[in-house]
Amino acid sequence: MLHDFTRGLSITTPEQMIEKAKGETAYLPCKFTLGPEDQGPLDIEWLLSPADNQKVDQVIILYSGDKIYDDYYQDLKGRVHFTSNDLKSGDASINVTNLQLSDIGTYQCKVKKAPGVGNKKIQLTVLVKPSGIRCYVDGSEEIGNDFKLKCEPKEGSLPLRYEWQKLSDSQKLPTSWLPEMTSPVISVKNASAEYSGTYTCTVRNRVGSDQCLLRLDVVPPSNRAGTIAGAVIGTLLALVLIALIVFCCHKKRREEKYEKEVHHDIREDVPPPKSRTSTARSYIGSNHSSLGSMSPSNMEGYSKTQYNQVPSEDLERAPQSPTLPPAKVAAPNLSRMGAVPVMIPAQSKDGSIV
């Protein structure tokens, strides 16, 4: 224990340890008295030595020159305040609000009024109340089965104490459960219907408690064979349905592929239709080209019979304009073809040669 070094000034608050729950407010006392010889300016300083010992002492609040400075330590900014409005009256106590686990550590109060100086330390511990308690059954709640009753807090500072109670029906608990009534887990062996009921589990520590409710219904064993058979049948039906869907999709794809192949073969085997106009023109053009080889002796026969050999089908089907006169076909230039022009005598209606 540190002893005060005083010349009249004395801190009357003893050193102590304080435990508080997370989120609460911690009151850290520091009261002092002055002697007649203490005439210097009053300075008050609070320091924190963090519990992890990885940080140096931090000034968290300061009173000097009749002014208060409380923004030295970022983690406690806005959460530390002097409790007295008149610090010269001898009360340098502070409040730390909304406690966090990071606030755990040793707090030191220093008071100076020359020539007097004094200090005291306070150990602050922040604990977490039990909360978020969850009660549940681990296993099948059937007659003759073994299962466990579990009680689990979401958070809570150690040490934790557990207590089970039965609230409904017969409040008498099985003898085998008694050793586990203060533990987080109760092991149930060879369960019977008498175990059914509502249970409560309370969890405590030094700063608080919380509890949960559990409804236990021990029922006769279910028809496991029927359940298994139903599961097997359901699985088989699902497999059959999947196979049927796959088969139908495969069949449809094969049909679509076959239709595309047949359509492609038909288009390749059938030649494109000939143009009627081009057929007639090629036929007439071939006749024109043969005029160069005609002699005067066969010209007459050619003029009478050659044009009668033009396919009637093509001429009959050739479109004719009702308003336009038939196109005139120019006579071939026989001199250019190397043939001698021949005068073909014409006949009059009475048969005489003109």
Side-chain angles (χ1 to χ4, degrees):
M1 178 181 294
L2 295 177
H3 297 281
D4 294 341
F5 173 78
T6 61
R7 288 185 179 180
L9 188 152
S10 174
I11 296 180
T12 59
T13 301
E15 293 186 349
Q16 56 188 293
M17 295 181 63
I18 297 176
E19 287 185 347
K20 286 291 182 178
K22 178 182 176 182
E24 293 183 346
T25 297
Y27 169 69
L28 308 183
C30 182
K31 295 184 179 181
F32 62 92
T33 59
L34 299 174
E37 66 273 21
D38 299 324
Q39 299 297 323
L42 178 64
D43 293 329
I44 300 174
E45 184 181 55
W46 277 89
L47 297 95
L48 168 62
S49 300
D52 55 13
N53 295 322
Q54 295 180 0
K55 298 179 181 179
V56 299
D57 293 352
Q58 300 286 334
V59 177
I60 60 175
I61 193 168
L62 174 67
Y63 173 81
S64 180
D66 295 332
K67 292 184 179 180
I68 297 174
Y69 304 91
D70 57 1
D71 57 353
Y72 281 95
Y73 189 47
Q74 188 66 29
D75 289 351
L76 284 173
K77 186 176 182 180
R79 296 195 293 120
V80 59
H81 312 280
F82 284 110
T83 59
S84 175
N85 294 326
D86 185 11
L87 299 179
K88 295 179 180 179
S89 65
D91 188 359
S93 304
I94 61 173
N95 280 333
V96 180
T97 62
N98 189 23
L99 287 173
Q100 304 298 317
L101 296 179
S102 59
D103 299 337
I104 297 174
T106 301
Y107 293 76
Q108 183 176 187
C109 173
K110 288 185 176 182
V111 180
K112 178 181 179 181
K113 190 171 176 64
V117 177
N119 67 77
K120 282 292 174 66
K121 292 183 178 181
I122 298 176
Q123 183 71 37
L124 175 63
T125 301
V126 180
L127 302 177
V128 179
K129 293 180 180 180
S131 63
I133 311 299
R134 176 173 174 251
C135 293
Y136 64 97
V137 178
D138 184 6
S140 178
E141 305 173 44
E142 296 181 352
I143 296 176
N145 282 359
D146 297 342
F147 52 83
K148 295 179 180 180
L149 308 183
K150 292 188 175 183
C151 179
E152 297 178 352
K154 184 177 181 180
E155 60 180 2
S157 298
L158 300 176
L160 297 173
R161 300 189 304 275
Y162 296 84
E163 182 182 358
W164 288 88
Q165 289 182 343
K166 188 175 183 182
L167 303 180
S168 61
D169 302 332
S170 174
Q171 297 184 357
K172 185 178 179 180
L173 296 172
T175 306
S176 60
W177 291 17
L178 296 179
E180 298 180 327
M181 294 305 294
T182 57
S183 67
V185 179
I186 295 178
S187 298
V188 180
K189 304 292 184 180
N190 192 22
S192 66
E194 297 176 354
Y195 296 170
S196 299
T198 302
Y199 296 82
T200 179
C201 175
T202 304
V203 184
R204 295 184 176 90
N205 64 7
R206 293 195 298 268
V207 292
S209 64
D210 195 10
Q211 67 177 10
C212 60
L213 294 176
L214 172 64
R215 177 65 190 179
L216 177 63
D217 293 313
V218 182
V219 297
S222 59
N223 186 0
R224 296 182 179 178
T227 303
I228 295 175
V232 172
I233 294 174
T235 303
L236 292 176
L237 290 177
L239 293 175
V240 171
L241 180 60
I242 294 173
L244 183 60
I245 294 174
V246 172
F247 174 76
C248 292
C249 293
H250 181 67
K251 182 179 179 181
K252 184 176 180 181
R253 290 180 180 176
R254 290 185 59 186
E255 292 177 353
E256 292 177 352
K257 183 178 180 181
Y258 177 75
E259 290 178 358
K260 290 181 179 179
E261 291 178 352
V262 172
H263 182 67
H264 182 70
D265 293 343
I266 293 175
R267 294 184 61 183
E268 289 184 347
D269 295 343
V270 178
K274 295 182 178 180
S275 173
R276 295 173 181 175
T277 306
S278 62
T279 303
R281 289 178 178 175
S282 62
Y283 181 78
I284 296 174
S286 64
N287 290 336
H288 288 173
S289 63
S290 63
L291 291 178
S293 60
M294 297 297 291
S295 61
S297 60
N298 58 9
M299 181 64 69
E300 181 179 358
Y302 173 81
S303 62
K304 292 181 180 181
T305 61
Q306 188 68 24
Y307 288 97
N308 294 332
Q309 297 178 3
V310 177
S312 60
E313 181 182 357
D314 291 340
L315 294 179
E316 289 175 359
R317 294 184 182 180
Q320 296 291 336
S321 175
T323 56
L324 298 177
K328 296 181 180 181
V329 180
N333 191 343
L334 300 181
S335 61
R336 293 183 180 180
M337 299 180 183
V340 179
V342 178
M343 298 299 294
I344 301 176
Q347 289 184 349
S348 62
K349 292 183 180 181
D350 57 359
S352 58
I353 297 175
V354 180

